[in-house]
Amino acid sequence: MTSIRLALVGLGKIARDQHLPSIAADPRFTLVAIVSRNAELDGVAHFTALADLLASDVAVDAVALCTPPQPRHALAHLALAAGKHVMLEKPPGATLSEVEDLRLAAAARSLTLQTTWHSRYAVGVEPAREWLAERAIKAVRINWKEDVRVWHPGQDWIWEAGGLGVFDPAINALSIVTRILPRPFFLSKGVLHVPENRQSPIQAELDFRDAAGAPIRAELDFLQTGPQSWDIEVDTDDGQLKLTNGGAKLYIDGQLIQEGPDREYPGLYDAFARLIADGASDVDVSPLRHVADAFLLSERVAAPAFVE
């Protein structure tokens, strides 16, 4: 397979921390351009707008969109119209209808579109799915609590409409549970705590039930200080499963079963390369659908103003 000439659109924290190292480590990709209004990368062609890149003589096969979700629909449409494969950082869009529109656009042009749920590639996730497939689920608890000032410093877009607030990190938990639980689940009720000076929630409590009635409780917090919590516990008829560290460690009845190095983003790029080679797409909106349900069904309560 010839090298996939890739352009990275957006050069913020997630692009620098995860995308650049993963691209450099995968010989199937060659980074040929950066699109960013605020940053450049030595030795790589730089453009301040995707349209300028697409109009240039720089040959590109695929683009990875690492922008905030709000402008991503227009950028993805531009890339697809130009015949480029597209990787969408999570969340894949600001709305479900945007992602569905992109799915149809990619299919019409026989191009690859990938929605990226990186937490599903944590080393404990697939073993957890396999273990739970043979057991009856009794209850699930999700604790996803981190400090927004540490992980999203100065990122005002996350508080705007479409930025998702606390659901930007918590959608990772939803991506895991939609993968590992053997039955679908549905929101019963929820509470969203929205700072008086912001548009998106900073904390949330959600109650779901799966198709057999098992309760699923999610407690989400963007104000956690000290140790951060990215944990999922599942009680079954045959013991308790626990994923910690965002899925990096898997415990069964308190015994460590699986752990390993962070391979989430290398896993995404491996999948992207294989999808392109196969002429296929992977468009899964199930985590985003649960976020949309939370915004639709939950009670909204005022929280103190958020100041960084």
Side-chain angles (χ1 to χ4, degrees):
M1 180 178 178
T2 59
S3 179
I4 300 166
R5 296 165 296 188
L6 182 78
L8 196 61
V9 183
L11 195 58
K13 181 175 173 56
I14 195 66
R16 291 186 181 276
D17 290 352
Q18 299 291 350
H19 287 263
L20 290 179
S22 298
I23 295 165
D26 194 323
R28 292 168 293 182
F29 291 94
T30 300
L31 182 64
V32 297
I34 295 291
V35 178
S36 173
R37 292 177 297 177
N38 305 309
E40 300 182 28
L41 193 65
D42 289 344
V44 180
H46 174 255
F47 299 85
T48 57
L50 179 58
D52 294 339
L53 165 61
L54 297 175
S56 76
D57 59 359
V58 177
V60 174
D61 302 308
V63 300
L65 296 181
C66 302
T67 66
Q70 295 94 329
R72 205 172 292 154
H73 177 253
L75 292 169
H77 249 301
L78 195 63
L80 292 169
K84 315 305 178 187
H85 307 292
V86 175
M87 172 191 282
L88 300 169
E89 242 298 351
K90 66 87 188 170
T95 69
L96 290 164
S97 58
E98 286 184 355
V99 183
E100 174 63 11
D101 181 56
L102 294 176
R103 184 188 69 80
L104 295 173
R109 295 170 173 84
S110 299
L111 293 168
T112 292
L113 180 68
Q114 182 194 32
T115 53
T116 59
W117 304 110
H118 64 84
S119 290
R120 290 180 175 176
Y121 291 86
V123 294
V125 171
E126 281 306 299
R129 183 186 66 82
E130 294 169 3
W131 192 82
L132 292 172
E134 301 177 353
R135 289 161 176 85
I137 308 301
K138 298 172 65 176
V140 181
R141 293 171 297 280
I142 302 166
N143 287 289
W144 221 257
K145 301 177 179 181
E146 64 179 55
D147 190 343
V148 65
R149 298 178 179 91
V150 173
W151 300 100
H152 296 276
Q155 296 180 6
D156 288 340
W157 61 264
I158 207 166
W159 301 111
E160 299 170 357
L164 302 190
V166 72
F167 288 105
D168 181 82
I171 204 170
N172 293 329
L174 294 172
S175 75
I176 292 174
V177 293
T178 52
R179 177 64 182 165
I180 67 174
L181 295 184
R183 294 186 295 266
F185 57 93
F186 312 94
L187 185 67
S188 303
K189 62 181 180 179
V191 177
L192 307 182
H193 304 264
V194 182
E196 59 185 23
N197 61 337
R198 308 289 177 169
Q199 298 182 63
S200 296
I202 198 165
Q203 295 166 312
E205 298 88 41
L206 305 175
D207 289 293
F208 304 86
R209 288 198 176 271
D210 76 1
I216 301 170
R217 172 74 172 182
E219 297 186 0
L220 318 175
D221 192 348
F222 232 169
L223 293 174
Q224 178 86 342
T225 58
Q228 311 285 277
S229 302
W230 301 293
D231 304 329
I232 298 168
E233 296 178 348
V234 185
D235 298 334
T236 78
D237 61 342
D238 188 30
Q240 184 190 79
L241 176 147
K242 184 174 183 178
L243 286 167
T244 68
N245 296 73
K249 294 184 178 182
L250 169 63
Y251 296 84
I252 304 294
D253 290 331
Q255 181 180 355
L256 181 62
I257 301 298
Q258 186 89 35
E259 68 174 327
D262 180 2
R263 295 288 300 167
E264 295 181 16
Y265 277 83
L268 287 181
Y269 275 94
D270 174 65
F272 193 37
R274 288 186 287 105
L275 287 168
I276 292 171
D278 294 342
S281 289
D282 182 6
V283 183
D284 179 7
V285 296
S286 55
L288 185 60
R289 183 177 294 116
H290 286 297
V291 174
D293 287 352
F295 276 94
L296 181 65
L297 294 178
S298 298
E299 175 189 2
R300 297 171 72 92
V301 298
F306 173 75
V307 180
E308 287 204 54

